[in-house]
Amino acid sequence: ELKVEQNPLFLSMQEGKNYTIYCNYSTTSDRLYWYRQDPGKSLESLFVLLSNGAVKQEGRLMASLDTKARLSTLHITAAVHDLSATYFCAVDKGGSYIPTFGRGTSLIVHP
Amino acid sequence: GAGVSQTPSNKVTEKGKYVELRCDPISGHTALYWYRQSLGQGPEFLIYFQGTGAADDSGLPNDRFFAVRPEGSVSTLKIQRTERGDSAVYLCASSSYGQDEETQYFGPGTRLLVL
């Protein structure tokens, strides 16, 4: 059974600081996703990572994938309040397009 | 273009009643997914359609849950004899199957409360 673990589950940080969210998964997979969810809202896609060593960046967020370690990271650079949200990683079951989600990391950025 | 839409946005029902939740995917998307999200958790997979057929229904918790997609577009999730534990946000997502870079596009969800 595929398990996806994120840490930390809660993160409080100051504006301007850097931090990394980690996503570990238990079995081989072809595809990893990062999503953002604002309170009371639905999920918004951030990144799709397909191969070992893949790195994608959008604004202050950068995601990377190490398939050998079964690890993805979401790095936040110089955080701003607008980044406050819950971030989920999700991993497709091998050979399928059905993702298993982590529990999410709730991020609060303080001024 | 229009995103994924779901109706109703909120549904309050009594224990034992029957409910239907509707999902209208992005036009042209062949893949459609239903998830359930409880407070503080990530979305939990329920069922996946490819076209009209349920390609994987392994996430449905029991036989009270059923979903259809008769014409390969709109889908309805049906819950019989609702229980308080069914209370959650039900999310629908769609995508273009087979495109590696393709992600799932989520609807706003239906918040179901069973009293």
Side-chain angles (χ1 to χ4, degrees), chain A residues 6 33-47 85-91 99-105, chain B residues 3-4 6 26 34-38 41-44 89-94 103-111:
Chain A
Q6 288 183 236
Y33 311 84
W34 284 98
Y35 289 90
R36 168 182 172 144
Q37 187 175 36
D38 290 290
K41 305 290 186 183
S42 194
L43 282 81
E44 173 194 352
S45 176
L46 295 173
F47 303 108
T86 298
Y87 293 85
F88 291 97
C89 72
V91 178
T100 297
F101 282 79
R103 288 188 58 188
T105 296
Chain B
V4 178
Q6 293 185 245
I26 291 172
W34 283 100
Y35 296 88
R36 177 168 70 176
Q37 187 176 25
S38 300
Q41 303 293 321
E44 173 193 6
V89 176
Y90 288 81
L91 295 169
C92 174
S94 70
T103 187
Q104 295 182 16
Y105 296 87
F106 281 79
T110 294
R111 284 163 180 74

Side-chain angles (χ1 to χ4, degrees), chain B residues 17-76:
Chain B
K17 300 288 189 183
Y18 169 81
V19 296
E20 289 190 353
L21 312 179
R22 176 187 167 111
C23 172
D24 213 326
I26 291 172
S27 177
H29 278 185
T30 57
L32 185 146
Y33 303 76
W34 283 100
Y35 296 88
R36 177 168 70 176
Q37 187 176 25
S38 300
L39 196 62
Q41 303 293 321
E44 173 193 6
F45 168 75
L46 296 176
I47 187 169
Y48 157 56
F49 286 91
Q50 184 54 238
T52 60
D56 189 323
D57 64 358
S58 62
L60 295 177
N62 51 59
D63 62 6
R64 294 188 298 105
F65 288 74
F66 188 71
V68 295
R69 194 185 185 197
E71 297 178 356
S73 177
V74 171
S75 175
T76 305

